Amino acid sequence: MSKTNTLEKNKKHNLKLYFLYKAFSWDLLFYYAISFMFLNAYKGLSAAEIIFADSFYPFFKVLLQIPATLFVEKTDKRTGLIVGNLALFVYVLFVLGCHSMYIMIIGNIFMALGFVLKNLCESNLIYDSLPKSNKKQKIFSKIDGKSSAAYYVLEALSCGASGFLYNINPNIPIIACLLCTLFSVILSHLFIEVEDITNPDENHIKIKNARIGFKKYIRDLKNAFKFIFSSPRLKSLIYFNAIFMAIIYLLISYRRSLLSEMGVSAQNIGLIFAVLELLSSIASAYTSKINKKLKNKSLTYLSLYFIFSIIVSGLVVVLTVPYNVELSIVILMLAIQFLAKGPYYTLIKQYLSSFSSSTMRIKIFSANNLIEGIITGIISFIGSWLLLFTDTAHASIIIGCSSFVIVIILLEYMSSRVGLDPEKYTKKDIEFREVE
């Protein structure tokens, strides 16, 4: 068999495998719905300790970004994928054997390493496996979309099942998560490394054969910051995204803590999040229609509705209202959060990608991830500190009100810099060449 035929056969193999791989490996199945209750009620960690340990995760992601990139360049994407999934397997082992906050902090090193490596390798390995075509991006989106849909279905089912399994034995859903990560390690071994550097992707990082090295990586990052801070539009978007993503990340723990403090059972928490995940996936599918309807106000509406739901969910628990009414309103507010965050992920990538070349876009996302990680870590530390003095409901009100003020200021700052007609942007905002 010729080298060309072998290459094409390997590419087809990867594309077929990717559907199954992403369905099981995009994130941790059986974990998030019951993770807080497992660590709090079963392992004995306080809410403040759990969120404090989680606060290290975004910092670790920032610190590991460069080492992970250099590792993949010195090996290959398949090896990076294997090590990334193996790191998540180790993280779940830390959760299973957790007996203190410090164990979770160490575990978060492996979680950060796992997701950094996976983010670097997954889409790039599959993009290299696509057939040569002028519609490569569209083909990738179709394959990735179907794989994502399969994951959302499994995530919803695992959320529902994890609550029932937790009632049988709290360790069972964590063991189920561990087995899924082990399956991901096995699947990642089955991929075949291919090299196809023609028609480089306009939206995804390409890890090329050339070994760029540490100095060039830092130089590229410095160029990105120069470009960003000379562009009022990009600067506005990145400030806004860093704050809003930090709020979204903090709410992952806060909403589970709030339901736990309200006395909602593990079984019902699992069912609630199963429905919420489905809502988020449906909202994500309608992102383009939402953006078309809201136009340049999309980020405004999504962020304000999200923050409004945080404040209301805290207030309804603090106020004396019948429990059924309280729970119904809190679930409604959680639904608003999941409906808002799904489209936001897609829209912010779209806005950050606009008016930039392929090479500059890579640097913009690197700089954005760096700023986002630092701000997320800081706000998570503040969120855990608040829980040392008060409960989750009062902390949610404080976080929500503070976020409202900050976001209003940012939206006002953005009003004259983002969402304008193309001809109204300055040359710095629509620069297509790399910063020298």
Side-chain angles (χ1 to χ4, degrees), residues 40-56:
N40 180 243
Y42 185 65
K43 291 293 185 175
L45 275 65
S46 69
E49 287 177 324
I50 295 168
I51 297 174
F52 180 76
D54 287 345
S55 302
F56 285 88

Side-chain angles (χ1 to χ4, degrees), residues 207-271:
I207 302 171
K208 302 178 182 179
N209 282 333
R211 307 311 189 194
I212 61 172
F214 179 79
K215 289 183 179 180
K216 187 176 186 300
Y217 187 93
I218 296 298
R219 185 169 67 249
D220 287 348
L221 202 58
K222 286 172 66 177
N223 285 342
F225 277 107
K226 286 180 183 178
F227 181 49
I228 288 165
F229 287 106
S230 68
S231 166
R233 175 184 170 277
L234 270 179
K235 188 164 54 175
S236 302
L237 284 170
I238 287 179
Y239 285 159
F240 177 86
N241 180 62
I243 293 295
F244 193 51
M245 285 299 294
I247 297 167
I248 290 175
Y249 180 76
L250 179 62
L251 261 290
I252 292 173
S253 296
Y254 261 41
R255 63 172 68 100
R256 287 165 171 80
S257 178
L258 185 67
L259 290 173
S260 181
E261 289 180 4
M262 291 172 63
V264 181
S265 68
Q267 177 178 316
N268 288 333
I269 288 176
L271 292 173

Side-chain angles (χ1 to χ4, degrees), residues 169-427:
N169 186 315
N171 289 308
I172 295 178
I174 305 300
I175 293 172
C177 179
L178 187 69
L179 293 175
C180 287
T181 57
L182 179 60
F183 186 51
S184 298
V185 173
I186 295 169
L187 289 176
S188 58
H189 271 90
L190 300 179
F191 282 107
I192 301 170
E193 183 75 14
V194 295
E195 288 296 342
D196 183 5
I197 59 174
T198 60
N199 297 321
D201 181 26
E202 285 291 317
N203 292 308
H204 300 276
I205 299 174
K206 289 290 291 174
I207 302 171
K208 302 178 182 179
N209 282 333
R211 307 311 189 194
I212 61 172
F214 179 79
K215 289 183 179 180
K216 187 176 186 300
Y217 187 93
I218 296 298
R219 185 169 67 249
D220 287 348
L221 202 58
K222 286 172 66 177
N223 285 342
F225 277 107
K226 286 180 183 178
F227 181 49
I228 288 165
F229 287 106
S230 68
S231 166
R233 175 184 170 277
L234 270 179
K235 188 164 54 175
S236 302
L237 284 170
I238 287 179
Y239 285 159
F240 177 86
N241 180 62
I243 293 295
F244 193 51
M245 285 299 294
I247 297 167
I248 290 175
Y249 180 76
L250 179 62
L251 261 290
I252 292 173
S253 296
Y254 261 41
R255 63 172 68 100
R256 287 165 171 80
S257 178
L258 185 67
L259 290 173
S260 181
E261 289 180 4
M262 291 172 63
V264 181
S265 68
Q267 177 178 316
N268 288 333
I269 288 176
L271 292 173
I272 288 168
F273 280 103
V275 175
L276 293 176
E277 289 292 348
L278 287 176
L279 287 177
S280 187
S281 65
I282 293 169
S284 297
Y286 284 90
T287 298
S288 59
K289 292 184 179 180
I290 292 171
N291 193 38
K292 187 177 179 180
K293 178 74 173 178
L294 300 179
K295 297 180 180 178
N296 60 349
K297 297 292 183 183
S298 297
L299 298 184
T300 300
Y301 283 109
L302 292 175
S303 60
L304 291 182
Y305 275 121
F306 192 98
I307 292 169
F308 170 79
S309 70
I310 300 172
I311 298 171
V312 172
S313 61
L315 281 173
V316 76
V317 174
V318 169
L319 298 174
T320 306
V321 296
Y323 180 76
N324 288 338
V325 175
E326 174 187 284
L327 182 59
S328 299
I329 294 174
V330 168
I331 292 174
L332 178 61
M333 294 303 104
L334 296 185
I336 291 173
Q337 292 172 21
F338 275 74
L339 288 169
K341 74 169 186 172
Y344 176 79
Y345 290 145
T346 301
L347 288 175
I348 195 63
K349 289 179 182 178
Q350 176 184 320
Y351 294 157
L352 287 172
S353 297
S354 301
F355 307 128
S356 60
S357 65
S358 175
T359 50
M360 184 52 67
R361 193 176 300 134
I362 291 170
K363 297 169 188 178
I364 289 169
F365 276 100
S366 294
N368 174 70
N369 291 341
L370 181 63
I371 295 171
E372 180 187 309
I374 293 170
I375 297 299
T376 299
I378 292 171
I379 290 182
S380 294
F381 278 129
I382 294 170
S384 65
W385 175 77
L386 282 174
L387 293 180
L388 294 175
F389 306 99
T390 187
D391 57 23
T392 309
H394 285 89
S396 295
I397 296 170
I398 295 169
I399 291 292
C401 291
S402 303
S403 301
F404 179 79
V405 173
I406 294 170
V407 167
I408 287 293
I409 294 171
L410 285 171
L411 289 172
E412 178 62 28
Y413 179 77
M414 292 168 65
S415 62
S416 60
R417 296 169 175 84
V418 179
L420 310 178
D421 293 329
E423 63 272 10
K424 292 184 180 180
Y425 285 113
T426 66
K427 185 179 179 181

